[in-house]
Amino acid sequence: MNSTAQPYAIMAEFDTPADAMHAAEQIRDAGFRRWDVHTPYPVHGMDAAMGLKNSKVGYFTFLGGLIGYTSGMLMIWFMNMYDYAIVVGGKPLFNPLFSFPVSYECTILLASFASLGGMLFLNGLPKHYHPLLKNPRFKAGASHDKFLIAIECADPRYSPTETRKLLEAAGSKHIEMVED
Amino acid sequence: MASNGHGDEPPIQPNPPPSELEREPLVLKQRSLAWLSDQIAGIVEGKTPKWWWPAFIVATLVMLMMFYMIGYLFSTGVGVWGLNQPVGWAWDITNFVFWIGIGHAGTLISAILFLLRQKWRTSINRAAEAMTLFAVACAGIFPLIHVGRIWYALWWLPPIPNSYSIWPQFRSPLLWDVFAVSTYGTVSLLFWYTGLIPDLATLRDRAKTKIRRFAYGLFALGWTGSNRHWSNYEKAYLLLAGLSTPLVLSVHSIVSFDFAVSQVPGWHTTIFPPYFVAGAIFSGFGMVLTLMIPLRSLCKLEDVITERHVELMCKVILGTGSIVGYAYGMEFFIAWYGGNPYELFAFKNRAFGPYWWAYWTMISCNVISPHLFWKRSFRRNMIFVWIVSIFVNIGMWFERFVIIVTSLHRDYMPSNWGYFKPTYVDVCTFVGSFGLFCFLFLLFMRFLPVIAISEVKGVTPQADPHHPLGGAKGGHH
């Protein structure tokens, strides 16, 4: 680490999901804003322990599906009725029934892209740099079998001594500072 | 919260459920979270196993044979195939429906079993989804090459106007099929990739070489396992599962419309959509078992893909196989009860006409073999299950052959009757598609985690914050 490095966050490691969850409850109750729990898999109940609201991905999905269905129907109407009408087998030029299968597939297609894209957008991904990913302890644990809590130094409630005490009291056996 | 209890032995659960209600664990031997990532990522990180290279070379050669046959087809014309009037669809479309059907198990496991909260899916969903993608890739080849002058396909398949400004016409189920299959392939890829992101991050964090760190890091998109991210991720995964569930049911329904919307006796039946979907899941699980049983022992994954997993898959085969058997019977009943002489003739001709051998191969593989799985000891015998899965694969290929070829070869006008025989080009192209499938699957298992590491971790007891093994203190909750 070079001398110009600024502290980014205080990072505490926990061995079990229960310990991390109880620590998260305390940090939530202490009123921290800029902090996160990093776990190798989604821990059930952690959203409530962190005080997170329901994810907004669904809005993206709905919008994607709506655009998919409408554009599917419009495409078929435009191609087979408006732009170049040809009678085939005496069937109507446009009808929502025969247009449904294709429009339906377009609904699913665009809604799926919107779900993945919305998730990445809300998460701010892809991200090519994150200070935590430089930390060897973090890399060895967060995607393996440890549960890490990082409280950013930029949080208004952060204090170098009090925050460390809080994490120690919550049962962390390893606490260290992560540099930016 | 004063004590943290690290290092103590895990406390005993106060009231264990009665033994007859106890389920076998999904991960045997109480393997730790660390063991799971070490073991599964180890397949990718370790030395190439000895059997891998011979398997890969054989698969590549077989795949190249297919490309050679396709080159021969393009340069010479569809006359190199055995199909001709009256059998205008034969091996090509049989292979297409066969492969697309196999693809259905992956999405069923990843989406429908997810919505039904079947936690056992986590051990098999990654490989099954990969199998889906590769099967769809194999399936996509056949309709593409069967058009003959493939350089015109750009104007037939996607909505692009031809030189007279005419658009494709959407009243045809064949065009619905183009949209269904391409959407299915794309959404399966998105779903698969979404599931891979956390595991790619695991591989990135474990990577020892620069190339690995870069390649896995690039596709992991900077994933840090943040719970704020997991929250959105789980919602997106749930929504993708919710979208894929009607998708998987619609795809094979639309494939069946290729037949059912026509007027051909033997094809024009309303039972086709549900019957095709059940058959697709049946054949897909057959192929999953064909791949998983060798995979679990070759990669030493018996503790993650347990006998219970195999047994549950056998039960799915039993269930869907029974639906398929029922559909065969119901088709015959309706052919008689419907009072249409052409329909009745088509079915009599299926069972007792010149293609009787194909029909009875189908019946013995698809109707008899799944019912062997009523017996628990058969479901738990790996070699036995593997052999039955091969019969399921064979039977389901023959089902499509029977539906397509026997319905076409004798239609309304006896002077128009014929008999389809495949040429060596037909056979080699189909065999070659297995080469492509194995080629892709072998690459997958060498470079990507074959089991969804983060998902399997999530279903172990030590991952549950309310379980004693997850660190919960007795009476705290």
Side-chain angles (χ1 to χ4, degrees), chain B residues 84-329:
Chain B
N84 208 334
Q85 283 300 347
V87 185
W89 275 357
W91 273 57
D92 44 359
I93 301 302
T94 302
N95 298 339
F96 161 66
V97 183
F98 171 75
W99 278 119
I100 203 88
I102 285 183
H104 279 56
T107 317
L108 180 102
I109 291 167
S110 53
I112 298 182
L113 296 187
F114 180 79
L115 295 183
L116 297 175
R117 296 176 191 272
Q118 298 293 307
K119 287 182 175 175
W120 58 278
R121 68 181 267 290
T122 55
S123 297
I124 50 170
N125 70 339
R126 170 70 44 71
E129 283 172 51
M131 181 203 78
T132 289
L133 290 173
F134 307 149
V136 172
C138 291
I141 289 174
F142 290 97
L144 212 58
I145 62 174
H146 96 296
V147 296
R149 287 172 288 183
I150 187 170
W151 44 97
Y152 291 137
L154 192 61
W155 285 275
W156 299 331
L157 303 177
I160 296 173
N162 70 6
S163 54
Y164 297 109
S165 303
I166 303 175
W167 297 94
Q169 68 106 354
F170 286 88
R171 279 147 284 188
S172 163
L174 299 183
L175 198 56
W176 307 348
D177 207 13
V178 172
F179 276 81
V181 172
S182 53
T183 300
Y184 185 56
T186 314
V187 173
S188 302
L189 184 67
L190 288 185
F191 201 12
W192 187 62
Y193 179 63
T194 306
L196 266 171
I197 292 172
D199 289 0
L200 290 170
T202 303
L203 287 172
R204 172 201 64 200
D205 292 348
R206 297 165 58 93
K208 298 272 187 293
T209 67
K210 249 198 163 122
I211 299 170
R212 275 175 181 269
R213 200 173 308 138
F214 176 77
Y216 291 124
L218 185 67
F219 289 101
L221 306 177
W223 184 260
T224 58
S226 141
N227 194 64
R228 292 175 196 276
H229 290 183
W230 277 123
S231 173
N232 290 324
Y233 174 93
E234 282 205 289
K235 182 67 85 183
Y237 199 88
L238 175 71
L239 287 165
L240 280 172
L243 291 166
S244 302
T245 297
L247 176 68
V248 69
L249 301 178
S250 79
V251 172
H252 227 57
S253 299
I254 292 179
V255 169
S256 82
F257 290 162
D258 291 348
F259 306 100
V261 174
S262 79
Q263 302 291 325
V264 176
W267 286 4
H268 186 68
T269 53
T270 48
I271 202 174
F272 260 29
Y275 155 43
F276 267 51
V277 171
I281 293 163
F282 177 63
S283 71
F285 270 83
M287 190 57 97
V288 171
L289 284 170
T290 309
L291 291 173
M292 288 295 179
I293 290 172
L295 185 78
R296 71 192 278 275
S297 54
L298 285 170
C299 296
K300 312 251 178 315
L301 292 169
E302 286 96 338
D303 292 341
V304 189
I305 306 173
T306 66
E307 284 188 5
R308 179 176 163 210
H309 288 95
V310 174
E311 183 176 4
L312 288 165
M313 285 190 266
C314 291
K315 287 182 181 172
V316 176
I317 289 205
L318 174 58
T320 50
S322 305
I323 299 175
V324 169
Y326 168 80
Y328 292 160

Side-chain angles (χ1 to χ4, degrees), chain A residues 15-19 21-22 26 33 35-44 46-47 50 52-58 61 75-76 78-80 83-84 86-88 91-93 98 101-102 104-106 108-109 111-113 115-116 119-120 122-123 125-127 130 133 138-139 142-145 147 169-171 173, chain B residues 1-2 4 6 33-34 37-38 159 164-171 175-176 179-180 182-183 186-187 190 193-194 197-198 201-202 204-206 213 221-236 239-240 243 246-247 250-251 254 257 454 457-458 462-466 469-473 476-477:
Chain A
D15 289 335
T16 66
D19 287 348
M21 205 157 102
H22 297 317
Q26 291 169 40
R33 292 260 166 261
W35 64 288
D36 215 332
V37 188
H38 298 266
T39 55
Y41 58 87
V43 177
H44 284 275
M46 191 62 94
D47 288 3
M50 281 182 72
L52 297 185
K53 294 201 181 77
N54 195 4
S55 164
K56 293 191 169 55
V57 176
T61 311
M75 171 182 74
I76 297 169
F78 171 79
M79 288 176 187
N80 282 182
D83 191 51
Y84 203 129
I86 297 178
V87 177
V88 177
K91 292 173 203 164
L93 291 170
F98 74 67
V102 168
Y104 174 80
E105 301 298 335
C106 294
I108 305 253
L109 184 69
S112 302
F113 271 106
S115 308
L116 179 59
M119 184 270 281
L120 293 176
L122 291 172
N123 287 349
L125 298 175
K127 199 174 206 168
H130 196 288
L133 289 177
F138 181 87
K139 283 182 78 169
S143 62
H144 190 50
D145 67 339
F147 305 84
K173 283 208 174 147
Chain B
M1 273 318 297
N4 57 49
H6 294 311
L33 302 179
S37 31
D38 288 340
Y164 297 109
S165 303
I166 303 175
W167 297 94
Q169 68 106 354
F170 286 88
R171 279 147 284 188
L175 198 56
W176 307 348
F179 276 81
S182 53
T183 300
T186 314
V187 173
L190 288 185
Y193 179 63
T194 306
I197 292 172
T202 303
R204 172 201 64 200
D205 292 348
R206 297 165 58 93
R213 200 173 308 138
L221 306 177
W223 184 260
T224 58
S226 141
N227 194 64
R228 292 175 196 276
H229 290 183
W230 277 123
S231 173
N232 290 324
Y233 174 93
E234 282 205 289
K235 182 67 85 183
L239 287 165
L240 280 172
L243 291 166
L247 176 68
S250 79
V251 172
I254 292 179
F257 290 162
S454 67
K457 280 179 185 167
Q462 58 268 35
D464 179 2
H466 304 293
L469 290 173
K473 315 291 180 293
H476 189 77
H477 288 277

Side-chain angles (χ1 to χ4, degrees), chain B residues 337-393:
Chain B
Y337 189 68
N340 181 333
Y342 299 103
E343 188 78 10
L344 186 58
F345 171 78
F347 279 89
K348 276 187 189 160
N349 183 50
R350 235 177 229 188
F352 307 109
Y355 284 110
W356 63 271
W357 49 271
Y359 183 81
W360 293 105
T361 309
M362 167 188 99
I363 291 287
S364 35
C365 290
N366 291 351
V367 179
I368 299 167
S369 61
H371 291 282
L372 297 168
F373 288 147
W374 285 103
K375 202 166 155 56
R376 183 185 144 94
S377 57
F378 286 174
R379 296 195 298 262
R380 296 230 162 204
N381 184 333
M382 295 300 127
I383 295 168
F384 182 84
V385 171
W386 193 80
I387 292 168
V388 172
S389 79
I390 298 290
F391 279 112
V392 170
N393 291 329

Side-chain angles (χ1 to χ4, degrees), chain A residues 151-174:
Chain A
I151 303 178
E152 286 179 36
C153 302
D155 191 292
R157 296 207 172 241
Y158 173 78
S159 120
T161 48
E162 294 301 312
T163 310
R164 180 179 283 266
K165 265 188 208 152
L166 172 74
L167 290 166
E168 269 167 7
S172 172
K173 283 208 174 147
H174 177 94

